[in-house]
Amino acid sequence: MQTAAPTPMPQPAARRPLRAWRHFQIWTLLVGLSLQLHLGYLYLVDYMNPVPEAAQLVQLPIEVLQVQDRVPHLQVRLVGDVQRSMEFPVSAAFFAPTHTPLQDGEWNSLGGCMGYVLGVPVRWVRGEERFRIWELHCGPVHRVYEEFKAAYAQTLQGAQRSLEWHGGLVLLLTLLVLVLERRAMGRRERRS
């Protein structure tokens, strides 16, 4: 009598290797860190461009070509028909309110006026060179350094709150995405 060879037990199907949760975690952390670094850059721009001393201001004769309520606030013509954009003191922070000493009627009277401004170039910004106005004498509008300085102090308070809220929101969203990724990977591992 011959004995039959034992039949091998069926092997479980080979599992597909799952992408490690750490792989997703690294990308989420890199995106969150990049957004936090960008917010840090915006804070640094405000910090590196403090209110200048009155002696540091440069005087430029101008003719206002265009006025708008967002940065750059003025498009001007300088001596020699050179056109340039200029801005009132603002913060680089997202959604920070801008305070200026100008009244509504004064905004409207700036278009086409001729006069001069005192200001300084803005440092640590990308793109086109920016010039910040700290004193304005153009047509019927005369606003001095102290008025712009007080308005900018209000702007910085709003900017600080804006950066804090955005930093907290980015951190919260990063943590939320990390938790959701972990849960999704856990469900996928249990199904496999």
Side-chain angles (χ1 to χ4, degrees), residues 9-177:
M9 297 210 33
Q11 296 291 328
R15 288 188 183 191
R16 285 186 327 207
L18 295 175
R19 293 181 102 179
W21 177 66
R22 291 179 299 281
H23 174 76
F24 291 105
Q25 181 185 21
I26 289 171
W27 283 109
T28 301
L29 290 174
L30 283 176
V31 169
L33 178 64
S34 298
L35 290 172
Q36 290 289 5
L37 287 174
H38 182 69
L39 291 174
Y41 164 75
L42 296 177
Y43 176 78
L44 182 66
V45 168
D46 283 348
Y47 180 76
M48 295 302 292
N49 290 288
V51 178
E53 297 296 324
Q56 295 174 315
L57 300 178
V58 176
Q59 181 176 338
L60 296 174
I62 62 164
E63 176 187 357
V64 178
L65 302 174
Q66 183 180 5
V67 181
Q68 55 190 17
D69 60 350
R70 57 184 163 74
V71 174
H73 296 107
L74 302 178
Q75 183 70 27
V76 300
R77 181 179 298 133
L78 303 174
V79 176
D81 279 345
V82 175
Q83 291 190 16
R84 184 174 190 176
S85 299
M86 295 186 174
E87 65 189 51
F88 296 119
V90 296
S91 171
F94 296 121
F95 308 116
T98 300
H99 300 278
T100 65
L102 300 175
Q103 307 299 323
D104 289 336
E106 291 175 327
W107 277 95
N108 298 334
S109 64
L110 281 177
C113 76
M114 296 180 77
Y116 66 94
V117 297
L118 284 93
V120 293
V122 180
R123 299 176 302 160
W124 289 78
V125 291
R126 298 174 299 221
E128 180 183 327
E129 183 183 358
R130 293 165 58 176
F131 188 83
R132 187 169 283 172
I133 299 169
W134 287 96
E135 191 165 325
L136 174 66
H137 301 278
C138 191
V141 181
H142 298 280
R143 294 292 176 197
V144 295
Y145 171 74
E146 293 301 325
E147 292 172 303
F148 276 106
K149 185 176 174 181
Y152 186 59
Q154 288 179 316
T155 297
L156 285 182
Q157 287 175 350
Q160 185 65 35
R161 273 190 304 264
S162 176
L163 285 172
E164 288 168 359
W165 276 101
H166 283 97
L169 185 62
V170 166
L171 181 61
L172 181 66
L173 287 174
T174 302
L175 292 174
L176 179 67
V177 170

